[in-house]
Amino acid sequence: MRWDDMRESGNVEDERSSSGFGGGGLRLGIGGVVLAIVVGLLVGKSPMEILGMVMQFSGHQPVATQRGPIAATDNDQSKRFVAHVLGDTEDTWGKLFQESGEQYRPPKLVLFRNAVQSGCGQASSAVGPFYCPADSKVYLDLGFFDELHKRFGAPGDFAAAYVVAHEVGHHVQNLMGISDKVHRAEQGKSKATANALSVKLELQADCFAGVWGHYAQARGLVDRNDMEQALTAANAIGDDTLQRNAGRNVAPDSFTHGSSEQRMHWFRTGFESGRVKDCNTFSRNAAS
Ligand SMILES: [Zn+2]
């Protein structure tokens, strides 16, 4: 992946030196992290709500651990990487919106460490990367990329880029009014129905990430091997895989992002076609 050749975005806000939670920061126990990541990518719920769910699911009390103060150069390579990938999503979505007579307003991406105050409430890194529709910002602790690599065996730049592009996908849904529509439809529905709708929203974000990948490939910035990396990531962070790895029975009703197979299917769909309209995960005929 030639991320250095992508345009660097000016929309990255570095809040890594200001620490939330009085400098301590909450981290879940190791067993909780796996589930935290499933829920962490979830959109439309406040991070505190997500955090509450994580505690509930994992049965883990938060363990206060602390990572030391960061040096000026710490993670700077990762920061540059994120800025370039974000810039590329801006170019691609800017063009796609323009083609349909709309204007793309790019999201800010906030880098934080341990904990952060977002427009959706205070959140710990344990929830994983997330998008907050209230302030149109993507929140990311760079430690997640290590997690992706070490714990989920999904190494490589493109796997990390896929995570960024997925969160940007939620921003696109927000701009298109899709998230609002879905959240309204979820009101008063059973938990299983609401979860099913959330899954479709998540799978569409995967498909949108694929659409971005399609144009990055067209410009020679990523190749098929990169896509395989993203599929490895999608495979590793499917709900069924996470549940199985966490020693739980697979319970589709509780899926929040979709199975590994679904995530791979929709990412691939977006990547192959590059068309937003092919990302209709809500269609009755959608192979979901
Ligand atoms: Zn998501």
Side-chain angles (χ1 to χ4, degrees):
M1 172 177 185
R2 290 167 43 210
W3 61 266
D4 247 336
D5 291 337
M6 295 175 172
R7 184 181 61 79
E8 189 167 4
S9 169
N11 285 314
V12 173
E13 296 176 352
D14 195 342
E15 293 184 11
R16 288 176 296 168
S17 51
S18 58
S19 51
F21 293 147
L26 291 171
R27 297 280 288 179
L28 285 177
I30 284 172
V33 172
V34 169
L35 279 155
I37 287 167
V38 188
V39 198
L41 292 163
L42 192 76
V43 70
K45 303 225 189 330
S46 83
M48 284 320 281
E49 196 181 343
I50 294 167
L51 191 56
M53 287 161 68
V54 171
M55 304 298 179
Q56 196 190 330
F57 283 148
S58 65
H60 276 261
Q61 293 303 312
V63 181
T65 58
Q66 199 166 358
R67 288 179 292 163
I70 59 164
T73 56
D74 195 13
N75 278 336
D76 269 2
Q77 180 80 350
S78 302
K79 179 184 173 179
R80 282 186 54 235
F81 169 81
V82 166
H84 282 268
V85 170
L86 185 66
D88 205 59
T89 64
E90 289 167 0
D91 292 351
T92 292
W93 286 110
K95 194 161 168 288
L96 289 174
F97 270 61
Q98 198 178 25
E99 280 168 12
S100 54
E102 308 279 340
Q103 203 200 342
Y104 181 65
R105 298 185 306 280
K108 300 278 186 207
L109 189 150
V110 179
L111 292 178
F112 70 100
R113 192 173 169 83
N114 298 329
V116 70
Q117 184 66 47
S118 80
C120 296
Q122 200 168 34
S124 124
S125 325
V127 302
F130 65 96
Y131 172 72
C132 171
D135 58 13
S136 298
K137 291 182 181 184
V138 172
Y139 290 85
L140 176 67
D141 184 324
L142 290 172
F144 182 78
F145 292 156
D146 297 334
E147 205 73 52
L148 199 61
H149 189 167
K150 287 195 207 113
R151 207 173 305 282
F152 301 113
D157 290 346
F158 198 71
Y162 155 73
V163 170
V164 173
H166 172 95
E167 297 306 331
V168 169
H170 284 311
H171 176 68
V172 169
Q173 292 174 318
N174 191 26
L175 292 180
M176 289 178 166
I178 298 169
S179 340
D180 267 1
K181 223 182 264 175
V182 169
H183 292 132
R184 271 199 305 276
E186 283 175 346
Q187 301 302 315
K189 296 287 191 326
S190 71
K191 198 162 171 42
T193 307
N195 272 347
L197 283 167
S198 289
V199 166
K200 288 175 193 293
L201 203 57
E202 290 303 326
L203 294 174
Q204 188 176 56
D206 283 335
C207 190
F208 284 173
V211 167
W212 163 75
H214 174 90
Y215 291 100
Q217 186 198 30
R219 281 177 285 126
L221 300 172
V222 307
D223 59 31
R224 301 294 306 184
N225 283 343
D226 293 320
M227 193 183 90
E228 292 305 318
Q229 282 183 10
L231 290 176
T232 302
N235 185 42
I237 58 182
D239 285 344
D240 51 348
T241 304
L242 288 173
Q243 288 185 351
R244 216 174 281 124
N245 289 349
R248 296 160 64 98
N249 294 327
V250 176
D253 277 358
S254 67
F255 286 180
T256 52
H257 278 76
S259 68
S260 297
E261 197 191 327
Q262 287 173 317
R263 299 201 70 172
M264 290 167 72
H265 167 80
W266 283 106
F267 177 80
R268 190 184 275 123
T269 298
F271 193 93
E272 302 288 349
S273 98
R275 282 188 301 267
V276 169
K277 69 176 175 57
D278 290 338
C279 292
N280 187 1
T281 55
F282 297 91
S283 146
R284 198 175 300 206
N285 301 321
S288 59

PDB file of all heavy atoms in Angstrom, residues 155-167:
ATOM      1  N   PRO A 155      -2.305  -8.150  10.484  1.00  0.00           N
ATOM      2  CA  PRO A 155      -1.253  -7.156  10.328  1.00  0.00           C
ATOM      3  C   PRO A 155      -1.415  -6.381   9.032  1.00  0.00           C
ATOM      4  O   PRO A 155      -2.253  -6.719   8.202  1.00  0.00           O
ATOM      5  CB  PRO A 155       0.014  -8.008  10.260  1.00  0.00           C
ATOM      6  CG  PRO A 155      -0.450  -9.263   9.597  1.00  0.00           C
ATOM      7  CD  PRO A 155      -1.883  -9.473  10.002  1.00  0.00           C
ATOM      8  N   GLY A 156      -0.617  -5.372   8.891  1.00  0.00           N
ATOM      9  CA  GLY A 156      -0.559  -4.684   7.605  1.00  0.00           C
ATOM     10  C   GLY A 156      -1.254  -3.347   7.620  1.00  0.00           C
ATOM     11  O   GLY A 156      -2.222  -3.128   8.338  1.00  0.00           O
ATOM     12  N   ASP A 157      -0.703  -2.469   6.778  1.00  0.00           N
ATOM     13  CA  ASP A 157      -1.226  -1.118   6.682  1.00  0.00           C
ATOM     14  C   ASP A 157      -2.685  -1.096   6.258  1.00  0.00           C
ATOM     15  O   ASP A 157      -3.481  -0.312   6.758  1.00  0.00           O
ATOM     16  CB  ASP A 157      -0.432  -0.335   5.626  1.00  0.00           C
ATOM     17  CG  ASP A 157       0.975  -0.050   6.093  1.00  0.00           C
ATOM     18  OD1 ASP A 157       1.224  -0.212   7.312  1.00  0.00           O
ATOM     19  OD2 ASP A 157       1.804   0.309   5.254  1.00  0.00           O
ATOM     20  N   PHE A 158      -3.012  -1.945   5.307  1.00  0.00           N
ATOM     21  CA  PHE A 158      -4.342  -1.821   4.743  1.00  0.00           C
ATOM     22  C   PHE A 158      -5.424  -2.243   5.739  1.00  0.00           C
ATOM     23  O   PHE A 158      -6.536  -1.715   5.720  1.00  0.00           O
ATOM     24  CB  PHE A 158      -4.478  -2.603   3.433  1.00  0.00           C
ATOM     25  CG  PHE A 158      -5.655  -2.150   2.616  1.00  0.00           C
ATOM     26  CD1 PHE A 158      -5.647  -0.906   1.988  1.00  0.00           C
ATOM     27  CD2 PHE A 158      -6.786  -2.930   2.496  1.00  0.00           C
ATOM     28  CE1 PHE A 158      -6.741  -0.460   1.251  1.00  0.00           C
ATOM     29  CE2 PHE A 158      -7.888  -2.497   1.753  1.00  0.00           C
ATOM     30  CZ  PHE A 158      -7.865  -1.253   1.132  1.00  0.00           C
ATOM     31  N   ALA A 159      -5.082  -3.190   6.627  1.00  0.00           N
ATOM     32  CA  ALA A 159      -6.035  -3.581   7.670  1.00  0.00           C
ATOM     33  C   ALA A 159      -6.353  -2.366   8.542  1.00  0.00           C
ATOM     34  O   ALA A 159      -7.500  -2.117   8.909  1.00  0.00           O
ATOM     35  CB  ALA A 159      -5.468  -4.719   8.509  1.00  0.00           C
ATOM     36  N   ALA A 160      -5.314  -1.592   8.857  1.00  0.00           N
ATOM     37  CA  ALA A 160      -5.512  -0.382   9.656  1.00  0.00           C
ATOM     38  C   ALA A 160      -6.285   0.671   8.864  1.00  0.00           C
ATOM     39  O   ALA A 160      -7.159   1.357   9.401  1.00  0.00           O
ATOM     40  CB  ALA A 160      -4.158   0.168  10.101  1.00  0.00           C
ATOM     41  N   ALA A 161      -5.974   0.780   7.584  1.00  0.00           N
ATOM     42  CA  ALA A 161      -6.672   1.741   6.724  1.00  0.00           C
ATOM     43  C   ALA A 161      -8.153   1.392   6.625  1.00  0.00           C
ATOM     44  O   ALA A 161      -9.013   2.273   6.600  1.00  0.00           O
ATOM     45  CB  ALA A 161      -6.043   1.754   5.334  1.00  0.00           C
ATOM     46  N   TYR A 162      -8.425   0.105   6.611  1.00  0.00           N
ATOM     47  CA  TYR A 162      -9.811  -0.371   6.538  1.00  0.00           C
ATOM     48  C   TYR A 162     -10.604   0.091   7.760  1.00  0.00           C
ATOM     49  O   TYR A 162     -11.771   0.481   7.655  1.00  0.00           O
ATOM     50  CB  TYR A 162      -9.784  -1.893   6.404  1.00  0.00           C
ATOM     51  CG  TYR A 162     -11.009  -2.641   6.882  1.00  0.00           C
ATOM     52  CD1 TYR A 162     -12.204  -2.610   6.160  1.00  0.00           C
ATOM     53  CD2 TYR A 162     -10.958  -3.394   8.047  1.00  0.00           C
ATOM     54  CE1 TYR A 162     -13.313  -3.312   6.609  1.00  0.00           C
ATOM     55  CE2 TYR A 162     -12.063  -4.097   8.499  1.00  0.00           C
ATOM     56  CZ  TYR A 162     -13.237  -4.055   7.784  1.00  0.00           C
ATOM     57  OH  TYR A 162     -14.327  -4.750   8.233  1.00  0.00           O
ATOM     58  N   VAL A 163      -9.943   0.069   8.915  1.00  0.00           N
ATOM     59  CA  VAL A 163     -10.602   0.528  10.148  1.00  0.00           C
ATOM     60  C   VAL A 163     -10.962   2.017  10.028  1.00  0.00           C
ATOM     61  O   VAL A 163     -12.080   2.433  10.344  1.00  0.00           O
ATOM     62  CB  VAL A 163      -9.690   0.280  11.377  1.00  0.00           C
ATOM     63  CG1 VAL A 163     -10.253   0.974  12.615  1.00  0.00           C
ATOM     64  CG2 VAL A 163      -9.540  -1.221  11.623  1.00  0.00           C
ATOM     65  N   VAL A 164     -10.020   2.817   9.533  1.00  0.00           N
ATOM     66  CA  VAL A 164     -10.275   4.254   9.336  1.00  0.00           C
ATOM     67  C   VAL A 164     -11.418   4.444   8.324  1.00  0.00           C
ATOM     68  O   VAL A 164     -12.363   5.203   8.554  1.00  0.00           O
ATOM     69  CB  VAL A 164      -9.006   4.988   8.855  1.00  0.00           C
ATOM     70  CG1 VAL A 164      -9.320   6.436   8.484  1.00  0.00           C
ATOM     71  CG2 VAL A 164      -7.918   4.932   9.924  1.00  0.00           C
ATOM     72  N   ALA A 165     -11.332   3.718   7.224  1.00  0.00           N
ATOM     73  CA  ALA A 165     -12.332   3.864   6.157  1.00  0.00           C
ATOM     74  C   ALA A 165     -13.720   3.410   6.621  1.00  0.00           C
ATOM     75  O   ALA A 165     -14.735   3.964   6.194  1.00  0.00           O
ATOM     76  CB  ALA A 165     -11.906   3.082   4.919  1.00  0.00           C
ATOM     77  N   HIS A 166     -13.768   2.417   7.499  1.00  0.00           N
ATOM     78  CA  HIS A 166     -15.045   1.963   8.051  1.00  0.00           C
ATOM     79  C   HIS A 166     -15.688   3.082   8.886  1.00  0.00           C
ATOM     80  O   HIS A 166     -16.882   3.358   8.755  1.00  0.00           O
ATOM     81  CB  HIS A 166     -14.835   0.704   8.905  1.00  0.00           C
ATOM     82  CG  HIS A 166     -16.053   0.253   9.684  1.00  0.00           C
ATOM     83  ND1 HIS A 166     -16.922  -0.702   9.210  1.00  0.00           N
ATOM     84  CD2 HIS A 166     -16.547   0.652  10.891  1.00  0.00           C
ATOM     85  CE1 HIS A 166     -17.905  -0.880  10.098  1.00  0.00           C
ATOM     86  NE2 HIS A 166     -17.698  -0.067  11.127  1.00  0.00           N
ATOM     87  N   GLU A 167     -14.893   3.729   9.720  1.00  0.00           N
ATOM     88  CA  GLU A 167     -15.434   4.823  10.549  1.00  0.00           C
ATOM     89  C   GLU A 167     -15.863   5.992   9.662  1.00  0.00           C
ATOM     90  O   GLU A 167     -16.885   6.628   9.920  1.00  0.00           O
ATOM     91  CB  GLU A 167     -14.407   5.274  11.596  1.00  0.00           C
ATOM     92  CG  GLU A 167     -14.012   4.197  12.615  1.00  0.00           C
ATOM     93  CD  GLU A 167     -15.190   3.553  13.336  1.00  0.00           C
ATOM     94  OE1 GLU A 167     -16.231   4.214  13.513  1.00  0.00           O
ATOM     95  OE2 GLU A 167     -15.085   2.372  13.707  1.00  0.00           O
TER      96      GLU A 167
END
